[in-house]
Amino acid sequence: MSHAVRIASTGDIPRLVDLLLLDAKERHVIDPILWKIAADAPAQIEKALTFALTSEQQPFRQIWQVSERNGAITGVIHSMRLPVPPIYAGGQGDPGLILPDSAVSPDAPEGTVDALVSAAERALTETGAKILLSSYVTGEPWRDVFQDRGYDPLTLYLSRTDLGDAGRPQTVRLATESDVPGIVT
């Protein structure tokens, strides 16, 4: 089945809010402490999407794309050129990053995730990205698609939510301006 994927527009925002809330709820079920949902989440999502789709003053170029079937939005994918610190900037330039705030509706046709990832890869390479990265959080369909497309794990972040009231260890302090040379070294 052919999947239509296009750049998102401001008219898509209500449906995108629904999809991104669905994604947030899926994360929340997995770990309600780590993935808390703000009481005003719909308003926050709408505000962020409006800025991303309309502002000329963005700190980096975001790409929001949607998949459609019979005129209805069935999925969304978010990508960007990842501005890396100068110390990491190499000859291949800023990499492209597919972000985890991407989602498909439960009734999306098979292959929607792959079509969205393919479209995001194409958009990123068209902006000059020579290295593609992805960060996803939950969902077998996403993991399977990234593995099938040749993505390999680069790093693994572990999370801990049972920190209690211990606070910061006494041997750890906030960095100051005088620490910058040592950090750079």
Side-chain angles (χ1 to χ4, degrees):
M1 163 177 266
S2 171
H3 297 271
V5 179
R6 63 171 173 78
I7 296 292
S9 70
T10 55
D12 300 324
I13 291 175
R15 178 64 177 138
L16 299 184
V17 169
D18 292 341
L19 282 171
L20 294 172
L21 276 173
L22 176 66
D23 177 60
K25 289 174 183 174
E26 288 175 5
R27 293 181 197 198
H28 182 76
V29 166
I30 292 169
D31 189 334
I33 295 172
L34 182 61
W35 300 107
K36 293 180 183 179
I37 299 177
D40 64 341
Q44 287 186 39
I45 295 169
E46 182 178 354
K47 181 180 177 183
L49 285 169
T50 300
F51 177 79
L53 296 176
T54 63
S55 177
E56 296 294 326
Q57 301 298 318
Q58 296 186 40
F60 50 84
R61 183 168 184 309
Q62 300 182 59
I63 305 167
W64 287 87
Q65 296 170 285
V66 296
S67 59
E68 289 183 308
R69 179 178 178 196
N70 299 328
I73 293 175
T74 59
V76 59
I77 195 160
H78 182 199
S79 60
M80 64 181 247
R81 288 296 296 277
L82 181 62
V84 296
I87 194 170
Y88 297 117
Q92 296 181 333
D94 291 344
L97 175 64
I98 300 172
L99 294 146
D101 49 351
S102 303
V104 294
S105 63
D107 62 345
E110 187 174 329
T112 300
V113 172
D114 189 60
L116 285 165
V117 171
S118 177
E121 290 174 338
R122 198 169 33 259
L124 290 167
T125 57
E126 287 173 0
T127 68
K130 293 181 177 79
I131 297 172
L132 298 178
L133 305 170
S134 175
S135 174
Y136 73 92
V137 177
T138 60
E140 288 297 320
W142 293 94
R143 180 180 10 261
D144 293 345
V145 165
F146 285 120
Q147 287 176 341
D148 290 348
R149 297 184 74 80
Y151 287 75
D152 291 316
L154 178 63
T155 187
L156 173 65
Y157 292 94
L158 302 174
S159 66
R160 181 175 166 201
T161 57
D162 63 339
L163 298 177
D165 296 327
R168 181 179 28 228
Q170 291 181 337
T171 58
V172 176
R173 64 175 173 76
L174 294 176
T176 66
E177 188 173 332
S178 66
D179 295 318
V180 172
I183 293 170
V184 170
T185 300

